[in-house]
Amino acid sequence: MLKLGVLLVVAAVAIPVLHTRWASGSWPAPLTVDLTEPLGKVSDWIIDNRDGHPLFLYFFGHISNAVVLSVRAVYLVLLALGWAGTTALAALIAWRAAGVKLAAGTAVSLAACGLLGMWVPTMQTLALMAVAVAASVILGAFLGLAAGLSDRTFRILRPVLDTMQVLPAFAYLLPVVLIFGIGVPAAVLATVVYAAPPMARLTALGLREADKGVLEAVASLGATARQRLVTARLPLARKQLLLGLNQTIMMALSMAVIASVIGAAGLGDRVYQALASVDVGQALAAGLPIVLMAIVLDRVTAAAGSGDREHGRSWVPALVGVVAVAAVAVATRLAGALLWPESWSVQIAPTVNKAVGWMTDHLYSGVPVVGGTADWAGHFTSWVLDPIRSGLTSLPWYAVLLLVAALAWLIGTWKSALTAVLAMAAIGVLGVWKPSMDTLSQVLAAVAVTLVIGFAIGIAASRSSRLERVLRPVLDVMQTMPQFVYLIPVVALFGVGRAPAAAAAVVYALPAVVRITTQGLQQVSPAALESARSLGATSGQQLRQVQLPLARPSLLLAVNQGVVLVLAVVIIGGLVGGGALGYDVVFGLAQGDLATGLKAGAAIVCLGLMLDRVTQPSRAARKEDA
């Protein structure tokens, strides 16, 4: 109540004063900063000096050459092993990490990549991802080590990591391309920028939350700081380190299609080319191997991190496995069958395209009673998106700032409120206030739909183990499918515009919301539920009065993740008529306009930072609630 009273007093004093000074309500032109000229000069300098300046010749040039040679070396090794040798090696690694069942699943998944006619693109993507993940892990571990051992470094790196993770990939593709040109180096380095933050965050978390008693015991034995790190901190952080590896791999694979925009070959390029020709079947055929790789790598790294499987210290099984892999590779080479036989491939594109065509013909329009998907898209645009956009753009800028401050302070602290307000003010200073409000309207609408559907499914899954088991593979596929793949069927069903962009965002963000909601409700104390049942509470009362309140932190995290994921896909929706900031980012990349692309990208970062502060309570606020 105190916070609400203070906010009302501030609003009563500030609004009349600001309205007198800026009656129009739009962001004042004198408060904007035009970055077009300085960013244009930076772009011109890079282009003029890229071929002769020592910085490019002796620094960026060496990095580019190292990346190219590394990717080529990994690719040649995979080709030399042949399809059978590569499959056997992957199965051996999965067996040593998680057992026979996952080894068989790994072999079947790689075989499926071959059956889909995508063996060579899969190997190209694996080579690219291997180098990108290795670089991401090294960089992330180094940053995480520094942040985990130093509070000052942790405070400095946190906003840097936030920016790296929230900044849309399209926004930093342009400066990467300006420096390295179109090709593999730019693709790998863009992937590293996107995939390194999870490793850094989880490494720092593992080191900072190491058992203090163990560290004190090691220190009492006279161990140096370096010995304490090697013998205590790192072993205690093993699960977090492996979870960081898991998340880095997932995020690197999610960049496979985006990296193809700047010259990366492999599955991403096949998906992108299929999108350009509106070939849903071919896009799905190239997207499924990415999904299979993501699921297999997720299971293998999760099993390695759990530590449940014990292999003992015997090196004999591993040696036998290596010999077997070598024998299979040699046999494949002698047989002259290094590549997957084309006669074993199955073309699913015609069948998928036929199904999409049927859906378009029968569902797009003319459906009795309910109307077609085109009608739904039109109604969603006119009844939801347009009113929200009109409301946000018609509000005076200072009213938006006060509203953001109120929401952030009520759910968090004055520091989070100040951060949120400064983030929104930065959007105005950059001169992109109106398109930012347009993007915000799409995000809010998509998040609302995502939360309604996600909470409903999550509640149902938390109460039915059978439904949860059925949903798990479906959610895996939805979460690992490249974002671009969603755009084609969505456009086919809903047309071009803001509605299909929002629909694709809902589909992409839904799995995370469902998973977090289900897990949060299942982790509610059984004792609390038993007490409610003993008092005669019905199933609905237990949900409303016990489970939902106790699972509040998880539900807020679900909201937070839903916002972040929706924001990521709404931006890509600029490719299908979503407009606003998404269009500016894509336009900046396509036209080589550094100023337009970076200003829109920075505005998206600010939106993400603001939405994070108004949807996720700070640690201090959670202590106050407790």
Side-chain angles (χ1 to χ4, degrees):
M1 291 298 294
L2 178 62
K3 290 182 179 180
L4 188 58
V6 172
L7 289 169
L8 289 175
V9 171
V10 171
V13 174
I15 289 179
V17 175
L18 294 172
H19 181 72
T20 302
R21 179 68 178 83
W22 292 289
S24 66
S26 58
W27 186 269
L31 298 183
T32 61
V33 176
D34 188 5
L35 298 177
T36 303
E37 184 176 351
L39 288 176
K41 290 181 178 179
V42 171
S43 177
D44 292 340
W45 184 88
I46 293 175
I47 294 172
D48 294 339
N49 293 274
R50 188 166 54 192
D51 297 328
H53 195 278
L55 178 65
F56 293 93
L57 292 177
Y58 302 111
F59 181 68
F60 292 124
H62 289 320
I63 293 176
S64 179
N65 292 335
V67 170
V68 170
L69 291 175
S70 300
V71 173
R72 185 176 299 170
V74 175
Y75 180 60
L76 291 176
V77 168
L78 293 174
L79 289 184
L81 287 173
W83 70 268
T86 301
T87 303
L89 178 60
L92 173 63
I93 295 172
W95 168 61
R96 293 297 295 169
V100 175
K101 186 176 180 181
L102 189 53
T106 301
V108 170
S109 297
L110 280 176
C113 296
L115 286 171
L116 291 168
M118 294 291 166
W119 184 260
V120 171
T122 300
M123 295 303 100
Q124 292 173 330
T125 298
L126 272 178
L128 188 79
M129 291 299 109
V131 175
V133 168
S136 300
V137 169
I138 293 171
L139 176 62
F142 176 78
L143 295 176
L145 187 65
L149 300 178
S150 168
D151 291 338
R152 178 180 296 178
T153 305
F154 178 76
R155 290 192 297 269
I156 293 172
L157 282 179
R158 185 180 176 186
V160 176
L161 296 176
D162 286 341
T163 301
M164 289 171 66
Q165 206 159 6
V166 177
L167 185 66
F170 276 98
Y172 56 75
L173 288 184
L174 179 55
V176 170
V177 169
L178 282 175
I179 295 173
F180 294 98
I182 296 291
V184 169
V188 169
L189 292 168
T191 303
V192 169
V193 172
Y194 186 69
M199 188 69 197
R201 289 181 184 279
L202 288 163
T203 300
L205 178 66
L207 293 175
R208 296 175 71 85
E209 295 188 352
D211 191 309
K212 298 296 187 294
V214 174
L215 296 178
E216 290 176 2
V218 174
S220 67
L221 295 175
T224 63
R226 183 176 181 180
Q227 289 172 330
R228 291 196 298 271
L229 174 65
V230 174
T231 61
R233 281 183 178 269
L234 290 176
L236 289 172
R238 176 176 176 271
K239 287 189 176 182
Q240 285 84 355
L241 293 174
L242 287 171
L243 180 58
L245 174 62
N246 175 280
Q247 293 301 301
T248 296
I249 291 172
M250 295 299 103
M251 298 193 75
L253 282 171
S254 71
M255 279 288 292
V257 178
I258 296 177
S260 69
V261 177
I262 55 175
L267 295 170
D269 185 56
R270 296 295 183 93
V271 172
Y272 188 69
Q273 295 301 325
L275 288 172
S277 59
V278 198
D279 190 337
V280 182
Q282 196 63 24
L284 186 63
L288 283 176
I290 298 177
V291 172
L292 293 172
M293 283 195 297
I295 293 174
V296 166
L297 291 169
D298 174 67
R299 298 292 188 269
V300 171
T301 52
S306 67
D308 295 335
R309 180 171 170 80
E310 296 293 340
H311 301 287
R313 296 185 179 275
S314 174
W315 50 269
V316 175
L319 180 60
V320 172
V322 171
V323 172
V325 170
V328 170
V330 171
T332 304
R333 174 171 288 276
L334 293 176
L338 292 177
L339 300 180
W340 184 273
E342 291 186 9
S343 59
W344 293 4
S345 300
V346 177
Q347 297 298 323
I348 66 170
T351 304
V352 172
N353 288 334
K354 187 178 296 185
V356 172
W358 183 91
M359 293 172 63
T360 303
D361 293 339
H362 294 82
L363 300 179
Y364 187 75
S365 62
V367 180
V369 183
V370 297
T373 53
D375 297 328
W376 299 355
H379 293 326
F380 186 75
T381 301
S382 58
W383 295 350
V384 179
L385 292 175
D386 287 345
I388 296 177
R389 182 175 66 177
S390 299
L392 288 174
T393 53
S394 62
L395 275 177
W397 63 272
Y398 45 82
V400 175
L401 295 186
L402 288 171
L403 180 61
V404 167
L407 292 173
W409 195 21
L410 289 174
I411 198 172
T413 64
W414 68 268
K415 290 182 179 180
S416 58
L418 179 61
T419 303
V421 169
L422 290 176
M424 289 302 294
I427 291 174
V429 171
L430 289 171
V432 288
W433 182 264
K434 187 173 181 180
S436 296
M437 294 302 101
D438 190 354
T439 295
L440 182 58
S441 69
Q442 297 178 45
V443 171
L444 293 177
V447 167
V449 175
T450 302
L451 294 181
V452 170
I453 300 174
F455 283 161
I457 297 176
I459 291 170
S462 69
R463 296 180 157 225
S464 171
S465 57
R466 178 179 298 177
L467 177 60
E468 185 184 10
R469 288 194 300 271
V470 171
L471 283 176
R472 185 178 181 185
V474 177
L475 297 177
D476 283 341
V477 172
M478 291 175 64
Q479 202 162 13
T480 53
M481 184 71 73
Q483 301 163 356
F484 277 74
V485 175
Y486 291 126
L487 295 181
I488 292 182
V490 163
V491 170
L493 288 174
F494 297 101
V496 174
R498 288 176 292 148
V506 170
V507 175
Y508 185 69
L510 194 60
V513 175
V514 172
R515 286 183 189 278
I516 296 172
T517 302
T518 302
Q519 185 179 22
L521 293 173
Q522 289 177 339
Q523 289 179 346
V524 170
S525 172
L529 291 174
E530 185 60 34
S531 298
R533 280 192 291 268
S534 67
L535 294 174
T538 64
S539 178
Q541 289 172 331
Q542 293 174 38
L543 175 66
R544 293 190 304 272
Q545 299 174 12
V546 180
Q547 286 183 288
L548 291 178
L550 291 179
R552 179 173 176 266
S554 295
L555 298 179
L556 287 172
L557 179 60
V559 173
N560 178 267
Q561 291 302 297
V563 167
V564 171
L565 294 173
V566 164
L567 183 60
V569 180
V570 163
I571 299 310
I572 295 177
L575 294 170
V576 294
L581 294 176
Y583 173 80
D584 288 345
V585 171
V586 175
F587 175 84
L589 178 64
Q591 301 297 321
D593 189 342
L594 187 64
T596 299
L598 284 186
K599 284 196 300 183
I604 293 165
V605 172
C606 293
L607 278 181
L609 183 60
M610 180 275 292
L611 291 169
D612 176 77
R613 294 300 184 267
V614 301
T615 57
Q616 192 66 19
S618 65
R619 183 178 298 179
R622 289 195 292 268
K623 288 180 179 178
E624 291 176 7
D625 292 338

